[in-house]
């Protein structure tokens, strides 16, 4: 669930990077407005952890110069930053931010969002154009309620989506040899 923050003023991106309200709250920045992110469900956390492990294994198997992260952000517009549940970035991007706030200004290679009842509109309608405009080549929408994984591939500046369900193997451009089904991801334990 996302709720408006108690801070009503508009923030610039640099202010957002330094913002600390003295709590452990996490915020997305959307056109200058702070949006408080509520804690995820345990199912949400388990799915994110499994995706991270699966992608890490594939990165290690293929010896790719990529890193899988949870809780890192991606700047999507001048005064906007999203917090995908999982993202894949290059080792070079990680090196550039090693001791700074983990908000990547250069497009991630892959962003993954896990849908919750309160994030349906955001994950299906708001984030895809932001991620596409930023140039993120691949975006996954993992939806436990629909029991589906939608893989969006950036083609000519727009996402083309394929929905995977049940025992269908997910097809990824970034990880073309990946062997995982929608069902395996959605039944994470």
């Amino acid at each position: 669930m996302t709720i408006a923050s108690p801070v009503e003023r508009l923030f610039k991106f640099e202010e957002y990077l330094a913002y600390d309200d003295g709590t452990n709250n996490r915020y997305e920045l959307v056109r200058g407005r702070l949006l408080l992110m509520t804690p995820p469900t345990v199912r949400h956390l388990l799915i994110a952890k499994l995706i991270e492990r699966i992608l890490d294994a594939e990165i290690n198997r293929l010896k790719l110069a990529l890193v899988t992260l949870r809780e890192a952000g991606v700047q999507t517009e001048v005064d906007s930053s999203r917090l995908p549940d999982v993202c894949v970035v290059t080792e070079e991007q990680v090196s550039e931010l090693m001791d700074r706030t983990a908000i990547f200004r250069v497009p991630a290679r892959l962003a993954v969002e896990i849908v919750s009842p309160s994030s349906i509109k955001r994950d299906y309608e708001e984030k895809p154009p932001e991620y596409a405009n930023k140039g993120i080549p691949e975006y996954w929408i993992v939806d436990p309620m629909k029991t589906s994984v939608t893989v969006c591939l950036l083609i000519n500046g727009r996402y083309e989506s394929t929905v995977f369900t049940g025992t269908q193997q997910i097809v990824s451009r970034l990880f073309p040899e990946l062997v995982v089904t929608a069902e395996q991801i959605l039944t994470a334990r």
Side-chain angles (χ1 to χ4, degrees):
M1 175 191 287
T2 303
I3 53 179
S5 81
V7 180
E8 293 302 321
R9 71 180 186 86
L10 295 180
F11 282 74
K12 297 291 183 192
F13 183 74
E14 294 300 327
E15 293 174 305
Y16 168 71
L17 291 178
Y19 183 70
D20 182 355
D21 64 0
T23 70
N24 288 325
N25 291 336
R26 299 187 69 223
Y27 297 92
E28 287 188 335
L29 181 68
V30 181
R31 293 171 199 85
R33 297 194 186 284
L34 291 179
L35 296 178
L36 177 61
M37 306 308 291
T38 58
T41 65
V42 171
R43 177 181 310 283
H44 191 111
L45 293 171
L46 291 173
I47 290 171
K49 183 177 182 177
L50 177 63
I51 291 170
E52 181 182 34
R53 285 195 339 247
I54 288 168
L55 297 181
D56 278 344
E58 192 69 359
I59 288 167
N60 290 332
R61 185 180 75 79
L62 297 172
K63 297 177 180 27
L64 301 173
L66 299 172
V67 177
T68 307
L69 297 171
R70 283 185 284 157
E71 301 188 23
V74 177
Q75 182 183 16
T76 57
E77 297 174 352
V78 173
D79 289 326
S80 294
S81 179
R82 297 297 190 160
L83 300 171
D85 292 298
V86 178
C87 69
V88 176
V89 295
T90 65
E91 288 179 352
E92 182 180 340
Q93 287 172 285
V94 169
S95 295
E96 290 171 2
L97 289 184
M98 189 57 71
D99 295 314
R100 299 196 328 238
T101 303
I103 306 289
F104 294 93
R105 294 177 184 209
V106 176
R109 300 288 307 277
L110 168 66
V112 179
E113 295 289 357
I114 301 164
V115 180
S116 63
S118 63
S119 73
I120 294 168
K121 181 176 190 226
R122 203 170 49 251
D123 293 338
Y124 280 103
E125 296 175 25
E126 296 172 12
K127 290 184 181 182
E130 286 183 42
Y131 287 163
N133 288 338
K134 185 64 179 180
I136 296 174
E138 191 166 332
Y139 171 46
W140 293 10
I141 305 169
V142 179
D143 192 332
M145 295 164 293
K146 289 185 176 180
T147 61
S148 66
V149 176
T150 303
V151 174
C152 307
L153 299 177
L154 192 62
I155 299 172
N156 297 323
R158 298 187 61 190
Y159 283 128
E160 292 188 13
S161 304
T162 304
V163 179
F164 300 93
T165 60
T167 58
Q168 289 180 307
Q169 185 170 308
I170 293 170
V171 178
S172 167
R173 184 189 307 152
L174 182 59
F175 300 106
E177 298 175 26
L178 185 66
V179 178
V180 66
T181 67
E183 182 177 75
Q184 288 172 311
I185 287 177
L186 291 161
T187 58
R189 294 231 182 276

